[in-house]
Amino acid sequence: MSMSNSAENKVLKALLQGTDIDFRASANLYLALFTADPTESGSFTNEATYTGYARVAMAKASAWTDGGSTFTNAGLLQFPQCTGGNNTITHFAVCTLASGGEVVVSGALNASLNISSGIQPQFSSASLSVGAD
C-alpha cells in the first residue's frame, strides 16, 4: 500500500500547518482498478479500460472498518460488469473523484483479476486493506 505523493504532502500540511485537505469534506471516495501500479505519482495511465468500467463510490462514513493500523473494506464492493474488452487487474486505488481527481492511496492485489465479457469484478468484505507503512 502506498500513499500518493500529493496525499502525503496534504497530510503533512494538515498536521504541520493546519491546512485543511481539499477532499476531506467530501462524502465519498472512489475505488479504481489498475492494470499496473499507479505509483506514488498517482498516474491514471493504467486505469482499467474494459467496456462498462466505472469507479465505485465509497461513503467515507461507512466504507472502511478501522482495524488500528490497517483499514479494510466494510462491505461488498462491486464494479460494473464487463460488456466488452478485457483487462488484467493487478492494483487498486482510492481516488478523490468518480473520474479524474487524484489517487489518495493505492496497493497491489494479492492475485491478478482477469476481466473479460460477462465478468463483474468484486471484493468481498475485508478483502482490501489499506494501512500506514
Side-chain angles (χ1 to χ4, degrees):
M1 196 285 315
S2 181
M3 190 175 288
S4 71
N5 293 335
S6 175
E8 288 172 350
N9 184 262
K10 288 176 182 188
V11 168
L12 285 173
K13 284 183 177 184
L15 293 171
L16 302 175
Q17 296 178 330
T19 304
D20 196 14
I21 297 173
D22 57 351
F23 57 84
R24 181 194 58 80
S26 63
N28 293 324
L29 289 173
Y30 298 85
L31 186 63
L33 300 175
F34 288 81
T35 60
D37 188 352
T39 72
E40 288 193 9
S41 69
S43 171
F44 290 111
T45 303
N46 298 310
E47 189 168 1
T49 57
Y50 69 82
T51 305
Y53 170 76
R55 295 177 188 171
V56 173
M58 300 181 305
K60 286 183 184 178
S62 60
W64 297 95
T65 301
D66 183 351
S69 62
T70 301
F71 285 70
T72 57
N73 58 306
L76 177 65
L77 297 169
Q78 290 184 308
F79 285 84
Q81 182 175 327
C82 175
T83 58
N86 58 65
N87 285 141
T88 299
I89 303 302
T90 60
H91 290 75
F92 72 94
V94 177
C95 304
T96 59
L97 298 173
S99 178
E102 64 185 85
V103 170
V104 178
V105 295
S106 64
L109 300 178
N110 290 335
S112 297
L113 295 174
N114 293 313
I115 300 171
S116 58
S117 191
I119 301 294
Q120 181 178 20
Q122 59 185 9
F123 298 95
S124 61
S125 180
S127 63
L128 289 177
S129 62
V130 175
D133 293 329

